[in-house]
Amino acid sequence: MRYSPIAKKIKALSEDIYIDWEKPSPASKEIPAWFKKIQAVNDEEHDMTIKKCIPFLDTLTTGYMFKTSADVIYDEEYNRFLENGVSETVTLHPTFQIENMEIDSNLHPLPYKWINKFMWQTPKGYSTMFLHPLNRTDLPFQSISGIVDTDDFPLSVQFPFFMKKGFSGLIPAGTPIIQAIPFKRDDWDLKFPDQEQSYEYEGFWNWFQPPMAKYKRQFWKRKRYQ
């Protein structure tokens, strides 16, 4: 895929050029193995599976992924991390900062923080949404979402997270921890137009007739992140 000359540019600046940190990469390069193994058509039902759901695929491929730069081992019994990298990958997050926050009962309430060593700079007028990798419920942690005005913010963004209960073991280097989706700060205004009749798509009944994949054929627009 060729890089578009009109594509918006994002700069990722390393805070230590002498260490080969795991670099953020397009999310399209980090599609999980379990998704790749799903059959496109269910043999028994003779119908398409989530593998053919373009909106779902878009969640896996939109934006960029920040990843762990070193292997880390989590010990659930002692609620601690053991690291093998040349620099700290995980640190504790102050608990008073999440006081009264509702925490999922499947998560340990002790907050940690992924250490990010890249300053993320978007063009003027663009912010970035940092969130747990979309639809990645297989990961043994839950990262916390946040929006940063990365066109002006001069520091690297750090990523708080919680560990899931019932997990002990290795989180290997290169594991996606945060999905970064840049967006333009437009103003929006929600409207409810006066309606004389209920909305109905005139082609509704043809939607379920061959040829299939009508959404991809007629409505989907390719998103490019290089």
Side-chain angles (χ1 to χ4, degrees):
M1 184 184 297
R2 279 192 154 188
Y3 185 78
S4 171
I6 61 173
K8 298 294 182 182
K9 306 295 194 299
I10 295 178
K11 295 180 181 179
L13 304 175
S14 174
E15 293 182 345
D16 191 335
I17 61 174
Y18 300 105
I19 297 179
D20 188 20
W21 308 108
E22 185 78 30
K23 296 179 176 62
S25 61
S28 58
K29 298 183 181 298
E30 308 299 333
I31 297 176
W34 58 260
F35 181 79
K36 295 178 180 179
K37 292 178 182 178
I38 296 176
Q39 291 185 328
V41 177
N42 183 284
D43 293 334
E44 295 182 0
E45 300 294 335
H46 303 291
D47 201 355
M48 294 183 294
T49 69
I50 199 171
K51 187 69 169 286
K52 285 289 189 178
C53 180
I54 297 301
F56 187 91
L57 179 61
D58 263 352
T59 68
L60 300 179
T61 59
T62 293
Y64 302 88
M65 289 293 185
F66 284 75
K67 297 163 286 183
T68 53
S69 287
D71 292 346
V72 294
I73 298 174
Y74 177 68
D75 185 337
E76 184 180 33
E77 180 179 0
Y78 295 98
N79 209 353
R80 65 179 181 178
F81 279 90
L82 304 175
E83 302 194 46
N84 296 320
V86 297
S87 182
E88 193 173 38
T89 303
V90 177
T91 185
L92 280 171
H93 198 286
T95 55
F96 73 87
Q97 292 184 343
I98 61 163
E99 187 175 355
N100 295 324
M101 178 180 178
E102 290 287 339
I103 307 299
D104 190 300
S105 60
N106 295 315
L107 302 174
H108 287 290
L110 183 64
Y112 287 95
K113 184 185 293 181
W114 299 114
I115 301 301
N116 167 39
K117 292 294 186 178
F118 285 93
M119 199 281 281
W120 189 255
Q121 187 178 71
T122 49
K124 288 296 182 184
Y126 286 79
S127 299
T128 304
M129 179 181 295
F130 297 99
L131 63 165
H132 182 85
L134 293 170
N135 287 319
R136 292 299 306 273
T137 55
D138 57 304
L139 297 171
F141 53 84
Q142 179 70 48
S143 295
I144 303 302
S145 303
I147 293 176
V148 179
D149 295 336
T150 45
D151 52 347
D152 287 323
F153 188 61
L155 303 176
S156 57
V157 180
Q158 307 305 307
F159 310 128
F161 69 99
F162 298 96
M163 289 301 301
K164 290 182 178 179
K165 293 178 180 178
F167 173 82
S168 281
L170 175 69
I171 301 176
T175 298
I177 53 176
I178 280 288
Q179 191 163 352
I181 302 177
F183 66 93
K184 188 178 180 181
R185 293 193 299 273
D186 286 321
D187 292 333
W188 299 87
D189 188 6
L190 177 63
K191 297 291 186 182
F192 295 92
D194 293 334
Q195 293 180 248
E196 296 181 357
Q197 60 184 20
S198 299
Y199 173 78
E200 182 179 0
Y201 174 51
E202 60 183 10
F204 178 79
W205 295 110
N206 289 328
W207 188 265
F208 304 99
Q209 303 300 321
M212 306 307 286
K214 289 184 175 63
Y215 174 74
K216 183 177 182 180
R217 294 170 182 270
Q218 300 179 26
F219 304 103
W220 179 67
K221 283 81 175 176
R222 185 176 299 276
K223 296 85 176 169
R224 291 183 170 88
Y225 300 90
Q226 301 294 320

